[in-house]
Amino acid sequence: MSSDPVQYGEVKSSYFWDDGSGINGDTGAPASGEPMQKGMAASPSWPLGTEGYVEYNGKKAEFFIGDRGPGHPAENCDVLLDLDGKTFAELTGGSWNDSSYTVSGGQGHIDVEYYITEWGDGAGTAGAPQPMSGSEVCDGKAVQPVPASAKDDGDEKKKQESDSDEGSSDEGSSDEGSSEESGDDGGSGEKTANDAQDSGGEDSTEQQQSGAASGDGGDDGSGKGLTAESASNDISGISLAGNDLPLAAGVLTLAIVPALLVALLFARRKPAADYAGSGRHRSSSPLSAEGLRETAQSVRATAVSYWERASRSVRRDSGGTGRE
């Protein structure tokens, strides 16, 4: 049903219920071939299939034209619309009786405002209503300009429908965006998994190398390879071995001998005046065979003395039992 009314007016309405029962003036099945039902209305002239709604005392009810009527009451443009009995009862606040096909409350005719929202494509004439005899065209109050409020309501409904459609479209786009993002996340996840696999491969390689190193270093029979703690202990062992007496003494000797040699060379080269005053023979030159021999003997004696002192010192520091 279209939202914007295409025709508006005020007419008098009655009610009917034609289902072929013959009760209360029943004239047979509806002219449209549709079964009698709530929402079906009858008009003497409007096209079958026409859609619209009526308002009465603030109540609203939709209808479609599915039958012809009223007959004689429509003459002189009196009663121009028949509503089904159930809709009529709701508008008037009465109750519908399925046995007598009547509406309680005593009202048989009411003045309603009608709004045509879409003309039907069945038999009939669009526009102002007419009696079934076609004796006159009923205009005046029966056909009036469509109220602006009704058009505004129609526009508002259209806007709401449009917003609803756009919302659905946005939701679809959002779903697509989520799917794309999910796809991206999936790709990232796959990449992350591959990176983890590569990393795992590297770690595995390192572990294999570490295991190989442990195998080369020897196993203690406990099934454990070389660890950081055992490596540290080995380094500490090497450091302690460096404190061993022969090694320490040898290193100390190598450091002291060159210094002693230089000192002795300069000590033997005294000025000539010193020797002249003493009356002693001048010492041999360090570069002569005699001087070199004397220097070597002095260095050897000094080295032996330093060796003995260094050995005693190292043994004392390491808790040895050697003699002082």
Side-chain angles (χ1 to χ4, degrees), residues 6-7 33 37 44 70 127 135 143 181 205 219 223 231-232 235-236 250 267 317 322:
V6 296
Q7 183 169 301
Q37 57 190 286
S135 58
V143 180
E181 292 177 1
T205 302
D219 198 348
S232 176
I235 294 174
S236 299
D317 292 339

Side-chain angles (χ1 to χ4, degrees), residues 199-210:
S199 176
E202 294 176 358
D203 293 341
S204 177
T205 302
E206 293 178 357
Q207 291 175 359
Q208 292 176 359
Q209 293 176 352
S210 176

Side-chain angles (χ1 to χ4, degrees), residues 49 56 62 90 106 113 138 155 166 200-201 224 232 236 240 247 274 289 297:
Y56 175 76
E62 295 182 351
E90 289 182 357
E113 296 177 83
C138 304
D155 293 340
E166 291 178 359
K224 296 182 181 179
S232 176
S236 299
L240 292 176
L247 179 61
D274 294 343
Q297 293 175 352

Side-chain angles (χ1 to χ4, degrees), residues 5-55:
V6 296
Q7 183 169 301
Y8 163 80
E10 297 180 20
V11 296
K12 187 176 289 186
S13 174
S14 60
Y15 68 88
F16 80 112
W17 193 271
D18 287 350
D19 60 359
S21 64
I23 301 173
N24 198 23
D26 185 359
T27 59
S32 64
E34 296 286 337
M36 189 66 206
Q37 57 190 286
K38 183 180 179 181
M40 179 182 284
S43 168
S45 61
W46 287 336
L48 296 175
T50 296
E51 298 179 353
Y53 60 92
V54 295
E55 290 183 350

Side-chain angles (χ1 to χ4, degrees), residues 219-279:
D219 198 348
D220 60 358
S222 62
K224 296 182 181 179
L226 180 62
T227 62
E229 183 178 359
S230 61
S232 176
N233 293 335
D234 292 342
I235 294 174
S236 299
I238 294 174
S239 299
L240 292 176
N243 293 328
D244 196 15
L245 178 60
L247 179 61
V251 172
L252 184 60
T253 301
L254 291 176
I256 292 174
V257 169
L260 292 175
L261 180 60
V262 173
L264 290 173
L265 289 175
F266 280 95
R268 294 184 63 84
R269 296 184 63 183
K270 295 183 179 180
D274 294 343
Y275 291 98
S278 63

Side-chain angles (χ1 to χ4, degrees), residues 145-163:
V146 177
S149 59
K151 290 184 178 181
D152 292 342
D153 290 343
D155 293 340
E156 184 66 22
K157 290 180 180 179
K158 283 185 175 180
K159 183 178 179 180
Q160 292 176 356
E161 291 176 357
S162 177
D163 293 341

